[in-house]
Amino acid sequence: MSTIEITPAGSSVAGTPTRIRRPAAARFLQQTTFGPTRGSIDDLVRLGSYRAWIDNQLALPVSLTEPYVRANSNSSLSTTRHHIWWNNVVRGPDQLRQRLAFAWSQIFVVSDRDYVLSNSQYAICDFYDMLARGATGNFRDLLESVTLHPVMGIYLSMLRNEKANPSQNVRPDENFAREVLQLFSIGLWKLRPNGERVLDQTGSPVPAFDQEVVEHFAKVFTGWNYDGLRSWTDTNISLESRDTPMIADDSFHDRSAKRLLDGHLVPAGGSARSDLTAALDNIFEHPNVGPFLARQLIQRFITSNPRPAYVRRVAAVFDDNGHGTRGDLQAVTIALFTDPEARRGYRRHPETFGKIKEPLLRLSQVWRAFDAQPGPEANDIFRPYASAISSIEAVVGQAPLRSPSVFNFYQPDHLLASDTASTGPLSSPEAQILSEINVASTNNMLLAQIYTDNNHGDPSHRRTSTKINIDFELSLADDVDALLRHLNVLVLGGRLPRTYRRAIADHLASYALDEQGRLARVTDAIYCLVGSPFHLVQK
Amino acid sequence: MTHPSVHAHGAFDRRRFLASTAATAAAGVTLSTFPFGMASTAAAATGPRSLVCVFLAGGADSFNMFLPLDHNTTDQTYETYRRTRGALAVNARNILPIGNGDFGLHPLLPGLASLAEQDRLATVMNVGPLSRPTTRADYLAQRQIPQSLFAHDAQQKLWQTAQVTTTGNEGWGGAITAAVANGAGVAPSFSLNGSNAWQAAQGAKYARLSPTVPISRLAGYDGSMWNWIPNLDAVAGVIARGQHAAAVSVNAFDRAAETSIADAIATTEQLQEATASSESNDVGMEDIDQNRLARQLEQVARLIKNREALGMPRQIFFVRMGGWDTHGEQAERWPALLTEFNEAITKFAGALDNLDLADSVTTFTASDFGRTLTINGDGTDHGWGGHAFVFGGAVRGGHYGTFPSYSLDNNPDDVGENQRDFAGRLIPSTSVGQYSATLARWMGLSEPQINAAIPHLANFDQRDLGFLR
């Protein structure tokens, strides 16, 4: 396919007169960043081109996590990486890359709920930074980096996986072999180029691989260990070994022949390295990879139920970036966000377009929209009111690199349980963690953030909690229409329904125009948007 | 205040339900005369009952929990187990014998052994998803084999739905809720650890609670809360208009968001008192701060203790413990896993005893799958059949089903095509459907309701495994 197809008709080069309206800019920035700000909306409108904005973003230096954690913590304190993660997502200029890193961390899942990884904080940050860097490289390279990172080696036990020992009934470990196929690359079912399942004559989906293939991949992934050890079983593992790529020891590698995907045969006698190269090539070339990844990326950023044609367009760019290269993730990223469905799907398919937001994004969007700053006694760490940052996980039900298992926080095909009689069944991965208890606790956290932890609250209270800045909103308080016009774009991307907007406006107008009345106008207006069901949704 | 669209349960006539179960009791049915060999005596079914699913996420290596000890069939002896298990075999001297000593439990499961001693522990052997009785020849020919065997997510779903394809989204727990919920207020179905397919069904909601987040009502929707914020009453009135606007939105996600808020309001309003860590809610589970499973079960015990006040004569609960996917370092990970599991179960059982609720609460385990009998060096891989536990005062202690072969040589229960492929992935001899039906029947589901929820049950002779009174 040509690259022209992936560039929407409405985009234009930088510098031409504004063709992106502010609500459209805000919608785009909800998809591509951790939340629109007044400044970022202004910049995008001025630039007048989504494509140019993406190019600018991806050229920015990468905001990392590991250097901060090394400087501020030992390798076992698991709170510090959350401090720098929040700092990066609230303040980092490379917003798109940070969103990409977070999305890829939900495909190449590792979690420091694992007891070994909880004590490997430098390494787990290195893994995350690797995803941030690799998110715009080639998927083949990223797949290999992930495969050989000791954090993945620990998490899915490929590290020190040994060849079979028939006399002891020992087989190679199948953990990484199974999940690299099922979760990281091709999925369980043969897919059409548009992501739909291939069906056999009886209408049943066709498995993409069977148990025997898993067993053969398990043999491939034998013979890898930490770098820098004195022996295969050396228990003295340095911190450096945990974030240096694993190295091969062929004496523990299974040299038998392997039958891989679609019957591809790797002859006997290969080394750990040559078998690994052959196996990752075999995976990378499988036709499922493009549609499998395209659908998951679209779900993470744009909409839970993409039209098959949207998946096909993004997958086609994965297959060929227009210059004959397969797996170019920068081209895939551009295709993802500039596709006509990403930009205009909310108008074309108003009944089904959109998604439930990841719960973390509700908080990051509020913090970014209102230029939040850490409290005066917070050591420059973003915290919600008076609690340790790690409790954000308890409140919202999600934290980076804290999935309960390699199956991520939610599943791509989790069904929306509420009324879909008019649309047919809809997927909604994020609804899987939209629990009653977390909806309540998140609401109350955001309410406290708005009413109590703003920069006009009592300065002697809650000196460690993050404060939002509402000065600009106060400057609009006398003009209810202007205030709501501004907040509608900034907070909801222009989605505030007219009837509800009128109800809010009537309520705000009842306040006197004194200092207290203006403050009430602003805080009530923000809460009526942030606390409403519309804030749980991205369209 | 009132909220739109909260909890639309399927229509259900509770009086008729109770009348029909009472009639069964009055008929004086006995075990031997009941059709289908059904063992349930419905007399107690008129009293309150709660069912608790303990899901061991990741695929628990139950072959190292329930162990052959002095079992004399050739390929089922401890010695066969030891040879096949190799370096991960539990030392026979340490195994805790139960029952007549044919079998035992891992030394780190003393609480379960003590339940066995009281005849309140049932082990269901080699159970797993099956569409019909299945042989090795059936497997090798791929005749009606459950979908996506050995994959975590798929097999969790098959266990939770008692189906053999992953397309279904309704669990038999949800069928219980749909049958017993009286249509008003919060459904008597709670998860202490997130979403699951077991409790999901058309017309059956369940509330997802957390052992670590106290229940607190949504302040902005309830003007009486947080009264230091001026005019929150008025704000609550305005935001209710936003809720309405979302409820009538053309967009399915807007409506879903509204439903989730309405559900959160209903759940927190009705459950705040029953779940608070107050003195009246104390269930006597001490020293459990570090035990995540026990903390979930403590919240379960509180909700059971309050079930009459909540107007919930039937309740179902889902708790989950992760970490069981022991591909690597199983020997290192195993003690912590078993200790947490054993302590949580022991303290929960003790709490129910103290509250005099043991007879009306049944707890059962489920897991993605059993694991391979053979090892991969320092762990085990994904299997199929495994052993499951049921405990409670209504349980008839003992072991149920058929103990599989653990033999290395020509194992008739293994899925491998030839000896070279042997890994000890065992074909189940009892189906998840049979296991589930036995539990669902105890909760009062009728035979037609069970058939609707578990269609494959018809392919098995034994519709009730008999482990519940």
Side-chain angles (χ1 to χ4, degrees), chain A residues 114-116 154 157 161 169-175 178-179 182 188-189 205 211 215 304-305 350-356 394-395 407 411 414-416 418-420 422-423 426-428 431-441 443-444 447-448 451-452 495 497 499-500 503-504 507 511 524 527-528 531-534 536-537 539, chain B residues 83-84 147-154 166 169 195 206-210 212-221 226 228-232 234-235 238-239 241-243 245-246 249-261 263-264 267-268 325 327-329 332-333 372 374-378 380-382 408 421-423 425:
Chain A
D114 178 276
Y115 86 117
V116 179
I154 293 166
S157 55
N161 185 19
N169 317 314
V170 171
R171 307 162 287 100
D173 184 318
E174 298 166 7
N175 199 7
R178 172 168 283 280
E179 309 309 358
Q182 182 180 344
L188 286 175
W189 307 105
Q211 174 61 26
E215 291 167 21
S304 296
N305 298 274
E351 294 171 352
T352 57
F353 185 84
K355 66 197 293 283
I356 298 293
V395 173
F407 283 75
Q411 306 237 280
H414 181 81
L415 280 190
L416 198 62
S418 52
D419 174 24
T420 51
S422 59
T423 58
L426 293 175
S427 296
S428 181
Q432 191 175 330
I433 58 169
L434 197 67
S435 74
E436 289 71 14
I437 192 77
N438 287 130
V439 166
S441 53
N443 172 81
N444 291 349
L447 187 139
Y451 283 99
T452 309
R495 289 183 291 115
T499 52
Y500 184 36
I504 301 170
H507 167 70
Y511 288 110
D524 284 6
Y527 178 70
C528 282
S532 78
F534 302 103
L536 276 65
V537 177
K539 278 192 278 188
Chain B
R83 275 184 60 220
T84 305
Q147 219 170 31
S148 300
L149 287 174
F150 320 120
H152 286 291
D153 56 340
T166 51
N169 290 295
S195 301
Y206 61 101
R208 289 162 293 179
L209 311 177
S210 160
T212 52
V213 184
I215 288 183
S216 157
R217 290 147 74 176
L218 280 75
Y221 286 77
W226 294 26
W228 65 89
I229 297 172
N231 299 308
L232 205 54
V235 171
V238 178
I239 206 154
R241 305 277 296 274
Q243 220 189 337
S249 171
V250 64
N251 183 273
F253 293 95
D254 284 345
R255 296 196 301 274
E258 189 278 327
T259 304
S260 76
I261 287 180
D263 289 347
T267 301
T268 52
D325 193 20
H327 290 277
E329 301 189 329
E332 289 78 9
R333 292 169 193 253
T372 53
T374 63
I375 66 174
N376 60 33
D378 62 347
T380 49
D381 294 302
H382 303 180
L408 273 170
D421 298 328
F422 175 78
R425 282 179 247 272

Side-chain angles (χ1 to χ4, degrees), chain A residues 320-381:
Chain A
D320 182 347
N321 66 353
H323 306 281
T325 302
R326 180 178 176 81
D328 176 351
L329 296 181
Q330 178 142 350
V332 167
T333 302
I334 292 164
L336 184 65
F337 292 111
T338 57
D339 190 274
E341 184 161 331
R343 303 279 37 88
R344 293 189 287 279
Y346 74 106
R347 269 187 282 155
R348 289 189 185 168
H349 318 295
E351 294 171 352
T352 57
F353 185 84
K355 66 197 293 283
I356 298 293
K357 274 181 205 167
E358 295 183 55
L360 278 179
L361 290 177
R362 290 189 70 196
L363 179 59
S364 74
Q365 288 178 358
V366 168
W367 276 351
R368 281 180 54 81
F370 303 102
D371 191 23
Q373 298 299 332
E377 290 172 11
N379 290 324
D380 211 29
I381 292 164

Side-chain angles (χ1 to χ4, degrees), chain A residues 32-34 53 57-64 93-104 128-137 301 330:
Chain A
T32 51
T33 73
F34 279 91
W53 184 91
Q57 275 282 309
L58 297 184
L60 293 170
V62 184
S63 298
L64 301 174
D94 57 333
Q95 283 287 306
L96 175 54
R97 189 176 292 279
Q98 292 301 316
R99 276 294 300 267
L100 289 169
F102 191 38
W104 282 103
Y128 195 81
D129 294 344
M130 175 186 76
L131 297 180
R133 290 194 189 93
T136 48
F301 290 101
Q330 178 142 350

Side-chain angles (χ1 to χ4, degrees), chain A residues 71-92:
Chain A
N72 290 284
S73 167
N74 63 37
S75 192
S76 298
L77 187 62
S78 63
T79 50
T80 316
R81 71 174 178 84
H82 296 276
H83 299 165
I84 185 62
W85 188 87
W86 277 101
N87 199 313
N88 287 347
V89 307
V90 178
R91 290 170 164 164

Side-chain angles (χ1 to χ4, degrees), chain B residues 25-47:
Chain B
V29 205
T30 67
L31 211 125
S32 55
T33 59
F34 210 90
F36 313 118
M38 176 172 146
S40 183
T41 59
T46 54

Side-chain angles (χ1 to χ4, degrees), chain A residues 193-196 298 306-316 339 341:
Chain A
N194 65 7
E196 293 176 335
I298 293 169
R307 306 259 140 174
Y310 182 13
V311 175
R312 178 175 48 73
R313 289 189 294 269
V314 176
D339 190 274
E341 184 161 331

